[in-house]
Amino acid sequence: MRTAALALVVAPFLVACPNTSPDRVRLVASVDSVSLAVASGTLVNTLSGTFEVVIDVGDLASSDATITDPPSFELVAASDQGSIRKLDATPSGQAFPITVKSGQHVVISFTLTDQNTLDAATLGKACAGPVQITASLQDSLTADRPTAFESAAVSVTGCP
């Protein structure tokens, strides 16, 4: 009986506890759905692929987030975050600037351009083990301070 009474007194406080996650007041981004492949040519090796940038602005953010320019991207070794190559990627079906409203979830697809060539040393690094795409964007919600984010580790296909 005493336990039941205590549960009735405590239960309303547990239900009323607000979600105080810091993600509810800021922009959070990630790189998802990464697919990377190497095409070996007689003169040059090319890295091709696609990925998505997922952007969420918390429902308690003080304002919307305007992103004027596409994020910058870099291919890094997953083991030590060592730089392999800066990546040239274009958004598919999305023009910048974009505005992400408070509480909104946006997914932007990117495709690597044919400018992502790899010399022999860079190809060796890209194929040596799992890699990640690291990224950085600037938005109005953070007063244009860079927001860094990354993908999970993936393997490049088509390696020699």
Side-chain angles (χ1 to χ4, degrees):
M1 179 73 165
R2 189 175 212 185
T3 304
L6 181 61
L8 287 173
V9 171
V10 173
F13 293 107
L14 294 176
V15 172
C17 289
N19 178 351
T20 58
S21 168
D23 292 347
R24 291 188 69 196
V25 297
R26 64 181 179 175
L27 178 142
V28 177
S30 63
V31 179
D32 291 341
S33 304
V34 177
S35 175
L36 299 172
V38 170
S40 297
T42 53
L43 298 176
V44 69
N45 302 303
T46 305
L47 180 67
S48 62
T50 59
F51 55 91
E52 296 175 340
V53 171
V54 178
I55 302 170
D56 290 290
V57 173
D59 61 331
L60 299 178
S62 59
S63 66
D64 299 342
T66 298
I67 304 164
T68 306
D69 298 310
S72 59
F73 302 105
E74 187 167 2
L75 187 67
V76 300
S79 60
D80 63 1
Q81 298 292 295
S83 177
I84 297 173
R85 176 186 209 299
K86 293 211 179 290
L87 296 174
D88 187 36
T90 57
S92 304
Q94 183 71 47
F96 283 82
I98 64 167
T99 298
V100 184
K101 298 189 177 302
S102 295
Q104 191 176 14
H105 173 85
V106 173
V107 178
I108 305 167
S109 297
F110 283 84
T111 301
L112 294 181
T113 69
D114 59 4
Q115 301 300 310
N116 295 290
T117 58
L118 306 172
D119 60 24
T122 307
L123 176 65
K125 290 179 186 177
C127 292
V131 297
Q132 291 176 282
I133 295 176
T134 60
S136 178
L137 64 77
Q138 294 178 317
D139 68 277
S140 61
L141 187 59
T142 61
D144 289 329
R145 287 187 305 259
T147 298
F149 53 102
E150 62 191 26
S151 71
V154 298
S155 294
V156 177
T157 63
C159 289

